[in-house]
Amino acid sequence: MTDSGSAEPQPAGGGGPRVPVTSQLRFWLILLLVTLICVYLLRSVLLPFVAGMAVAYLLDPVCDRLERWKLSRTWATTVVTFCFVLICVIVLLLVIPAVVSQVVTFVERAPDYLAAIQREIAALLESVRDRLDPGTEEKLQSVLRSSADKLFTWATGVLGGIVSGGVAFFNFVALVVITPVVAFYLLRDWDRMVAKADDWLPRRHQDTIRRLAKEVDETLAGFLRGQGAVCLSLAVFYAIGLTIVGLDFGLVVGLIAGFLSFIPYVGSMVGLVLSVGLALAQFDDWLSIALVAVVFFVGQAIEGNVLTPKLVGDRVGLHPVWVMFALLAGGALFGFVGILLAVPVAAVVGVGVRFAFSQYRLSPYYTGHEDEAP
């Protein structure tokens, strides 16, 4: 007769012995590796599909609300997708022509701005010439001019590529055409896909995975919807503020700064440097330059004291440094697709790490006693 204390526990649904933990771990690691390889190899064509999935995820609560109002899932999806596309088209028709015009004008005026900045550098060096020896002055002037040349060459190259690049245009067209179609079908079948994924969960760990998935969903939804609203608000504020103070290309700089605010602290810093640099080249009086800087200081104060506490809150659980690392790593490894996937992956990893630490604190590795482990 077998000793009950050494008997192998059986799964709830019957069957043979449990699969060893090492085999399960090996299976999931291989699956993860295959997935990463596929994403890396297909990264050039995945953009509209990943974007469509992100749109479907963000709009699913709206469809659920329409369903509660007695609309079928297909009709709810049709109404939501149509409204989303209509809003995007209106925004594109209103904003894109002005943005393209300002970018083209900036590329044409870049040499003049570079010369103006070099004159400002020369004037600054003139003011401190008495405190520098000739050798140090020459080296400093050479370094500043070289840095300005490289900065403007890089900026004009990037902006020129965005405007005239055939590949970028093709990707933009694919994004505009394919993304709404992908979003529609994913949104229509969202609940069924979630139910099917739930049915595929390992039976032994089903409740734990459901709890972690709910936590990931709350973290991801709170960050994406909240931070998205923050970025949109800041983009509008910066664009209007810089245009009011008279900065050339204020619309473009404001939109760039606002949307880069998705990366904590990066948007405001990039926008401040770009706008002050353009202001130095454009204005002759320090008051106008100071007003440009004030726009960003006010925007930062509004973001930190009003927008982020109200729209994002403290329940998200994604540290700004972790978000910055995830976005940079995703962009370096997988391009723009990696940037889109960075925040969801960061949310999953963050929840997984917190769960792992909670299990560690309950294990004998932490307590130091085998009999204290649950």
Side-chain angles (χ1 to χ4, degrees):
M1 185 172 180
T2 306
D3 184 10
S4 59
S6 61
E8 187 71 25
Q10 298 297 320
R18 287 178 176 173
V19 178
V21 175
T22 53
S23 299
Q24 296 183 45
L25 184 61
R26 187 184 306 114
F27 169 79
W28 291 112
L29 288 177
I30 292 174
L31 182 61
L32 175 62
L33 180 61
V34 171
T35 302
L36 291 176
I37 292 174
C38 291
V39 171
Y40 181 79
L41 294 177
L42 299 174
R43 64 190 184 279
S44 59
V45 298
L46 283 179
L47 178 57
F49 300 95
V50 175
M53 185 179 298
V55 171
Y57 175 77
L58 293 174
L59 297 180
D60 178 63
V62 182
C63 286
D64 291 340
R65 177 166 295 186
L66 292 180
E67 281 189 288
R68 290 196 292 269
W69 293 350
K70 307 304 180 182
L71 230 61
S72 68
R73 184 71 185 189
T74 301
W75 273 108
T77 302
T78 302
V79 171
V80 170
T81 306
F82 175 78
C83 292
F84 174 77
V85 172
L86 181 62
I87 292 173
C88 290
V89 169
I90 292 174
V91 171
L92 289 175
L93 290 178
L94 292 177
V95 176
I96 291 299
V99 170
V100 171
S101 174
Q102 289 195 4
V103 169
V104 172
T105 305
F106 173 77
V107 173
E108 293 174 350
R109 296 184 185 176
D112 297 333
Y113 286 130
L114 179 59
I117 290 179
Q118 288 178 341
R119 286 195 300 271
E120 294 291 337
I121 293 174
L124 178 63
L125 291 176
E126 186 71 26
S127 64
V128 297
R129 176 170 295 177
D130 295 337
R131 303 179 184 178
L132 299 176
D133 60 86
T136 304
E137 177 189 350
E138 184 178 353
K139 290 180 181 179
L140 181 59
Q141 191 169 7
S142 175
V143 169
L144 290 174
R145 287 178 177 174
S146 175
S147 300
D149 289 340
K150 290 179 180 178
L151 177 62
F152 268 83
T153 300
W154 173 81
T156 54
V158 170
L159 294 175
I162 292 174
V163 174
S164 61
V167 175
F169 179 76
F170 174 78
N171 289 336
F172 177 76
V173 171
L175 190 67
V176 170
V177 175
I178 298 177
T179 297
V181 178
V182 174
F184 174 82
Y185 284 108
L186 290 178
L187 198 55
R188 187 191 64 179
D189 300 328
W190 191 267
D191 293 338
R192 279 184 286 180
M193 291 189 300
V194 171
K196 181 63 69 175
D198 182 78
D199 186 58
W200 288 345
L201 295 178
R203 301 295 95 182
R204 180 182 174 187
H205 306 290
Q206 190 176 44
D207 293 337
T208 302
I209 295 176
R210 284 174 177 169
R211 176 167 57 84
L212 295 178
K214 183 179 180 181
E215 187 176 346
V216 169
D217 178 61
E218 292 174 352
T219 300
L220 189 58
F223 182 83
L224 290 180
R225 296 183 182 116
Q227 195 66 26
V230 170
C231 292
L232 183 60
S233 302
L234 288 176
V236 173
F237 174 81
Y238 288 144
I240 294 176
L242 294 176
T243 302
I244 290 176
V245 300
L247 181 69
D248 291 341
F249 321 115
L251 176 63
V252 174
V253 175
L255 293 178
I256 291 174
F259 290 121
L260 280 181
S261 296
F262 193 81
I263 310 174
Y265 310 116
V266 171
S268 57
M269 293 301 298
V270 171
L272 179 63
V273 172
L274 284 177
S275 60
V276 171
L278 289 173
L280 287 171
Q282 177 183 345
F283 300 120
D284 295 327
D285 60 300
W286 286 101
L287 177 61
S288 299
I289 299 173
L291 288 176
V292 171
V294 165
V295 170
F296 280 92
F297 291 134
V298 172
Q300 191 67 19
I302 294 175
E303 177 188 3
N305 298 308
V306 180
L307 295 178
T308 299
K310 296 292 184 182
L311 299 177
V312 180
D314 299 326
R315 298 177 292 108
V316 170
L318 287 177
H319 195 278
V321 176
W322 177 232
V323 174
M324 285 189 280
F325 173 78
L327 290 168
L328 293 175
L333 293 174
F334 303 106
F336 195 69
V337 173
I339 295 176
L340 291 179
L341 292 174
V343 174
V345 172
V348 172
V349 173
V351 171
V353 169
R354 288 195 293 271
F355 174 74
F357 272 103
S358 68
Q359 295 300 302
Y360 161 72
R361 290 176 63 88
L362 296 174
S363 71
Y365 297 104
Y366 178 78
T367 63
H369 301 283
E370 186 70 31
D371 55 351
E372 293 183 15

